[in-house]
Each structure stands twice: as C-alpha cells, then as structure tokens.
Amino acid sequence: MSDLRELLRGLDVFSGELPDFDIHALPADPRELFIDWLLAAVRTGVREPHAMTLSTVGADGNPSARVLIVKDVSPDGWHFAADAGSRKGRELTARPAAALTFYWSALARQVRVRGQVTAGEPDTGAADFLARSPGARAEALLGRQSTPLPDLATRDAAVREAAGRIGEDPGLVAPGWTLYTLRPDSVEFWQGDRERRHTRVDYTRTDDGWKRGLLWP
C-alpha cells in the first residue's frame, strides 16, 4: 500500500501549457462560457470531450454516478439520454435533480452543473435513439441495464438478437428511451493552475438572471 501511495503522490498534475481564464470577459450566461470551453477541448484534441459524469441520488439517499455523453446544450439546459427503466432513469423519476461534471485534463478545466431534470416527450427520445449507431441501439434495446448477467455469451447472444431486430425494422425504438434536460440552478467553472492558484467562477440562477462570483480554490 505504501508503494502505491508513493506512486500516486509522484504522478504529475497540471503539466504542460494551460489556458488562461479571463474573469474580466465573462459572459452573462454560463451556457456561452461552457460552449467556449467545450469547443476549446475539441480543438485541443481532448478525447471524448463530450463525456460527463451524471450523479443522481437513489431512494436510499445514497449517490450514484456514471459517465454519459452530453447530447446538446441549449437555452433550455444540458441534454442527455437514458433508458427510463435503468437505475439512473428510475432515480431521476423519484428525485428529478442531478449534477453533471465535465473534466478536460489536458486543459486542467472542470465544469460542474447542478439543477432539476425533466424528461422529454417520446418523440424527442425516439429521434435521439434513431440517431445512435446500430450497435448502440442494439445494446439499448436489451432493456436490462444493471441487472445480473450470468455470462458474457448470454450478453453476446442478446445483442445479436437485438441487432437482427433492428435489421428487420430500422425504425425500431426502445420503449423507455428518454431524452432528459437538466435546467441548471448553478454552474461552476474551475481552471487549474500548476502553482495551485486555481480560479473558480460560480454562476447562480436568481429571479433576475444569473449572478456571478469567485470562489476560493
């Protein structure tokens, strides 16, 4: 254990040339800044820059988190998709609030988004489902996410069967597939610094619009 601790302590962090964070040019809407940062991650070549951690709370009060892909960011909020019958879908039905976390390590940038979540109409979920790759649609059609799996051969057979169904009916949509929207109450932007002079900017929604402020690192 001590060898692992020393290994972890010795790993480099915040290496390379990091971008500036001009707090004097902040937009009024955090969505604009988020899109700027996301596009910067794309230009920099960050792998899967649209990946995010979705955190929800279960009926027992315990949190759970998993990595998903953000589908869009609009004036309505941050959009993502999931099966309503999955664990995250059930948790969002019971407690429709969540947190999203984005981290682009090459830029030492993190964004945290918190707010209420609403489920879209079936047609929006169907459109998202049909835009997925055939393999992703076949997996989603299984509708067994997070349930016990006896062996990998059973998984492979089920995916092949689902892929066959898609081949016969290209318009087939998983019945529980849902496009969710998180309407943010707060959005925090964190820019790391090698000397640990990190910069944090917090946007908080108020009745009069967005309030901005700095946070201690």
Side-chain angles (χ1 to χ4, degrees):
M1 183 63 70
S2 60
D3 291 340
L4 177 59
R5 182 167 57 248
E6 291 304 314
L7 171 66
L8 296 177
R9 289 178 62 87
L11 293 177
D12 198 12
V13 295
F14 310 132
S15 61
E17 185 175 348
L18 301 179
D20 294 326
F21 187 9
D22 185 1
I23 63 170
H24 301 294
L26 295 171
D29 190 329
R31 183 176 65 96
E32 296 179 30
L33 181 55
F34 175 83
I35 292 174
D36 285 345
W37 279 26
L38 175 61
L39 295 179
V42 173
R43 291 192 299 269
T44 306
V46 174
R47 290 189 58 183
E48 299 172 351
H50 52 343
M52 64 182 188
T53 299
L54 167 68
S55 300
T56 55
V57 177
D60 57 2
N62 289 322
S64 58
R66 73 290 287 165
V67 177
L68 298 180
I69 297 298
V70 65
K71 297 300 184 76
D72 194 11
V73 183
S74 75
D76 295 328
W78 275 245
H79 305 276
F80 60 94
D83 188 333
S86 66
R87 177 176 179 176
K88 54 186 167 294
R90 297 193 305 271
E91 290 179 347
L92 288 171
T93 297
R95 299 188 178 191
L100 310 177
T101 306
F102 296 82
Y103 182 58
W104 303 298
S105 61
L107 302 174
R109 283 178 167 176
Q110 177 180 231
V111 179
R112 303 167 62 199
V113 188
R114 295 188 301 165
Q116 298 297 304
V117 178
T118 57
E121 297 298 325
D123 59 334
T124 63
D128 179 84
F129 186 86
L130 294 174
R132 291 163 63 86
S133 68
R137 279 182 280 155
E139 184 275 332
L141 275 176
L142 301 180
R144 306 174 189 174
Q145 192 176 76
S146 301
T147 60
L149 173 69
D151 52 63
L152 296 183
T154 301
R155 175 204 63 188
D156 294 342
V159 171
R160 284 195 300 270
E161 189 273 337
R165 293 170 59 197
I166 291 174
E168 296 174 358
D169 183 3
L172 187 62
V173 174
W177 196 255
T178 304
L179 189 65
Y180 294 95
T181 300
L182 185 150
R183 181 178 185 271
D185 296 319
S186 67
V187 185
E188 180 193 316
F189 296 85
W190 180 94
Q191 173 65 68
D193 177 79
R194 190 168 182 82
E195 301 303 322
R196 303 308 193 270
R197 293 174 299 185
H198 310 314
T199 302
R200 295 173 65 189
V201 172
D202 181 63
Y203 284 77
T204 303
R205 187 188 295 277
T206 71
D207 292 339
D208 298 321
W210 289 99
K211 176 184 176 181
R212 295 169 300 188
L214 294 172
L215 299 175
W216 281 92

